[in-house]
Amino acid sequence: MKNYIKNQIKKSYETKQAIYQNEKLLNEISEVCKLCVELYRGPNKTILAGNGGSAADAQHIAAELVGRYGFDRPSIPSLALTTDTSNLTAIGNDYGYDKVFSRQLEGMGQEGDIFIGISTSGNSVNIINAFKVAKEKGITTVALVGRDGGEMAKLADYSLIVPSDSTPRIQESHILIGHIICDIIEKEIFGDGVS
């Protein structure tokens, strides 16, 4: 069993090593960080959504911004569209599950916001629909995905594609990327910045 555990850790490490060595992906993460910092120098917010484990990641990242990541500072506006069960169930019942995020984004998203859609496959229809609404409203879209990026990567303004086909490895890397984004936002807005 210990060898199996070590192998799982090794696979996680290898995925992160692939990210570490992927200059294109590192540049895209940097661009998204810069966008978010600029966003938070004004009145806008980030909005996140995902399904299943990706819903948990959306909530986790939003909580790091609204609460705190590394140090005490004023709250940063961020919203996970996965947290309101009344909205999710009402929209799902009245319009279908494929509309649970697009309908919320239509009502709460504003021009200048950033919408981060999280999916391991990149083919979550409810996030694809939200990307379409975002385009109509002037909301910048970021796909945090894996595998080949799926349809979300084709629609998004920015695509952060984890180089893996393994759902667990992609999800582990998504939270790493989310933490990096939160860390840079916090330090750039309220700290001494990053070099």
Side-chain angles (χ1 to χ4, degrees):
M1 184 177 288
K2 189 166 85 173
N3 284 338
Y4 181 83
I5 293 167
K6 287 173 71 175
N7 191 46
Q8 293 302 299
I9 295 168
K10 183 173 184 267
K11 288 178 181 178
S12 183
Y13 168 79
E14 288 170 349
T15 302
K16 291 178 177 81
Q17 186 72 26
I19 294 169
Y20 182 82
Q21 295 172 340
N22 186 326
E23 287 298 318
K24 180 177 185 290
L25 178 54
L26 293 174
N27 288 336
E28 290 166 344
I29 294 169
S30 179
E31 283 301 309
V32 169
C33 289
K34 289 176 188 173
L35 277 172
C36 289
V37 168
E38 285 307 308
L39 164 98
Y40 284 124
R41 293 196 194 285
N44 292 95
K45 63 190 170 297
T46 53
I47 303 170
L48 301 98
N51 297 285
S54 297
D57 289 343
Q59 291 167 210
H60 183 154
I61 295 165
E64 299 285 20
L65 293 169
V66 174
R68 59 171 282 182
Y69 179 74
F71 56 85
D72 289 327
R73 40 79 180 159
S75 181
I76 298 172
S78 187
L79 174 68
L81 299 181
T82 54
T83 58
D84 187 333
T85 53
S86 294
N87 264 336
L88 293 173
T89 55
I91 296 166
N93 187 61
D94 294 345
Y95 296 96
Y97 190 69
D98 290 351
K99 303 291 185 189
V100 294
F101 300 137
S102 58
R103 186 75 176 164
Q104 290 184 77
L105 198 61
E106 182 182 328
M108 291 183 272
Q110 299 174 340
E111 185 175 353
D113 288 344
I114 294 175
F115 175 65
I116 301 174
I118 307 173
S119 168
T120 58
S121 70
N123 292 312
S124 298
V125 175
N126 52 15
I127 298 177
I128 290 168
N129 288 337
F131 276 3
K132 292 174 182 175
V133 167
K135 294 280 188 202
E136 294 168 7
K137 294 190 66 121
I139 298 169
T140 300
T141 54
V142 176
L144 188 52
V145 292
R147 298 184 174 86
D148 66 357
E151 288 301 309
M152 286 170 54
K154 296 173 188 171
L155 290 172
D157 296 309
Y158 298 88
S159 298
L160 308 180
I161 304 171
V162 172
S164 176
D165 291 327
S166 167
T167 296
R169 304 296 82 85
I170 295 165
Q171 289 176 329
E172 291 161 0
S173 299
H174 281 175
I175 208 60
L176 170 66
I177 292 167
H179 276 169
I180 291 167
I181 292 169
C182 292
D183 186 36
I184 290 173
I185 290 169
E186 194 174 70
K187 286 179 176 157
E188 288 288 325
I189 300 292
F190 297 107
D192 296 327
V194 296
S195 54

